[in-house]
Amino acid sequence: MSRSIRVLVLIAIFAAALGVSFGTVLWLFPVGKSLVTQPSTVGGPFRLVDQDGVTVTEQDFKGKPFLVFFGFTHCPDVCPAALFEVSEILRAMDKDGDKVGALFITVDPERDTPEKMKDYLQSFDPRLRGLSGSTEDLEKVAKAYRVYYKKVPLADNDYTMDHTALVYLMDKDGRFVAPFNIKRPPEQAAADMRRYL
Ligand code: NI
């Protein structure tokens, strides 16, 4: 298979595994561009606040590989599943889990205050950092990570959020590596993550 076909096949597998549309993923990773040698087009500087009210920036992860995913605490299924799976990976990494970052960035800063995040994250690995900020802060970081999100009105003045469900693996220099597959045995994902330590 040619390189670009292999890349396409990989992208299709990721898309199927993560339940995102093929179109979205193609938009993220234009075919023909190498995922390895091109300068990173995903990620960048950010300044947000974690569930303990501590300011977090990309500088805090210098020398540490980290996972980033976007979601919101009212999410009915995708986000809690992802948080559970990432928690399992951190558990499988044991002490090495302290040497990586795992960031859950809200796309719903209106409701997801640090207090709300703290409450919500009690059910998951304590090493997960739940990040929120102002609407502008979130717009910036979502744009840097090429994350799509949109408010969808529900009945009774309620709403939900549509959002990209990819988990991004960033290397210890803060460069985007690839979408990280969390839909596999945690030990296998942990072994994969250890390669970037
Ligand atoms: Ni979600």
Side-chain angles (χ1 to χ4, degrees):
M1 275 192 284
S2 81
R3 183 182 181 83
S4 58
I5 299 206
R6 266 205 332 261
V7 169
L8 260 179
V9 169
L10 275 173
I11 287 169
I13 292 167
F14 271 121
L18 298 169
V20 271
S21 83
F22 196 51
T24 310
V25 179
L26 278 182
W27 170 76
L28 253 172
F29 308 109
V31 177
K33 273 191 190 170
S34 163
L35 297 182
V36 181
T37 55
Q38 294 287 317
S40 179
T41 53
V42 174
F46 62 84
R47 174 171 289 269
L48 297 163
V49 176
D50 78 1
Q51 68 268 38
D52 294 312
V54 176
T55 299
V56 178
T57 78
E58 79 291 345
Q59 296 294 324
D60 298 329
F61 301 96
K62 276 237 145 81
K64 272 187 174 190
F66 60 103
L67 297 176
V68 184
F69 62 112
F70 290 75
F72 64 116
T73 65
H74 286 70
C75 182
D77 39 38
V78 176
C79 294
L83 285 162
F84 173 74
E85 280 148 2
V86 170
S87 295
E88 286 294 285
I89 295 165
L90 290 170
R91 183 191 52 73
M93 290 186 78
D94 199 17
K95 287 271 172 251
D96 284 343
D98 299 345
K99 300 177 196 159
V100 303
L103 308 182
F104 175 61
I105 303 180
T106 184
V107 294
D108 186 13
E110 221 175 286
R111 293 187 292 201
D112 290 340
T113 59
E115 296 73 29
K116 172 76 202 190
M117 281 289 211
K118 192 173 176 78
D119 189 42
Y120 184 70
L121 289 173
Q122 299 294 331
S123 323
F124 303 101
D125 191 285
R127 290 170 288 194
L128 269 160
R129 315 276 300 269
L131 307 185
S132 50
S134 69
T135 312
E136 293 73 31
D137 295 335
L138 262 310
E139 268 169 24
K140 245 173 90 179
V141 68
K143 198 171 167 210
Y145 280 87
R146 299 197 172 204
V147 163
Y148 157 86
Y149 64 101
K150 191 174 185 275
K151 195 187 254 194
V152 180
L154 299 173
D156 303 321
N157 281 326
D158 197 6
Y159 66 90
T160 187
M161 302 296 295
D162 249 4
H163 65 93
T164 304
L166 284 172
V167 178
Y168 301 87
L169 170 61
M170 311 300 288
D171 72 12
K172 49 187 172 182
D173 298 313
R175 284 181 309 222
F176 171 64
V177 179
F180 194 71
N181 180 8
I182 58 172
K183 304 278 180 200
R184 53 182 161 168
E187 286 70 24
Q188 204 180 315
D192 192 12
M193 190 80 196
R194 278 199 178 95
R195 293 165 47 217
Y196 296 91
L197 286 174

